[in-house]
Amino acid sequence: MGPGWYPDPFVPSQLRWWNGAWTSHTATRGSWGAAATALSLGIVAFVMICFPIIGVVISVVATVLAIRAARRDLDDNFTITVLTFNIITFSLSLAGLAYSLWLGLYGIVISPWPA
């Protein structure tokens, strides 16, 4: 194990600094607040896939928040689930944006005039 914050083996609700041995430095574990915010934004991004640019922007913000929450509390299953959901939403948003751009360019190049 490298130096860093790890779940406290003595007090489960805390993190304790490890640098080869447990130190006296502790911190409270993150609440689900950041993960819940990331989940809410992820759901909004998923709904906004039909508006690709907005969906991509919101999913980027949601994914960044989920990554920050996951880095703070790696052993929290809820946070990891939110991160996974947001990465999938981000991928779908990017696919929707690419498809929209392809349709737009296809329409301009192949049939520039209305029928």
Side-chain angles (χ1 to χ4, degrees):
M1 266 187 343
W5 292 102
Y6 294 96
D8 191 335
F10 310 110
V11 182
S13 63
Q14 290 185 354
L15 298 172
R16 187 172 292 272
W17 184 259
W18 169 269
N19 61 358
W22 293 113
T23 66
S24 61
H25 303 288
T26 60
T28 57
R29 292 182 80 150
S31 66
W32 284 0
T37 303
L39 178 61
S40 299
L41 284 174
I43 291 169
V44 169
F46 186 79
V47 170
M48 297 301 281
I49 286 175
C50 55
F51 302 102
I53 295 172
I54 297 169
V56 168
V57 170
I58 295 172
S59 66
V60 165
V61 172
T63 304
V64 167
L65 286 175
I67 289 170
R68 291 182 69 200
R71 289 182 67 194
R72 179 77 173 140
D73 202 1
L74 286 175
D75 64 336
D76 183 17
N77 291 333
F78 176 69
T79 303
I80 300 303
T81 303
V82 169
L83 177 59
T84 303
F85 174 76
N86 285 340
I87 289 172
I88 291 169
T89 301
F90 177 64
S91 301
L92 291 173
S93 295
L94 281 179
L97 180 63
Y99 183 69
S100 294
L101 290 173
W102 181 80
L103 281 180
L105 292 176
Y106 179 78
I108 291 170
V109 172
I110 301 301
S111 59
W113 290 277

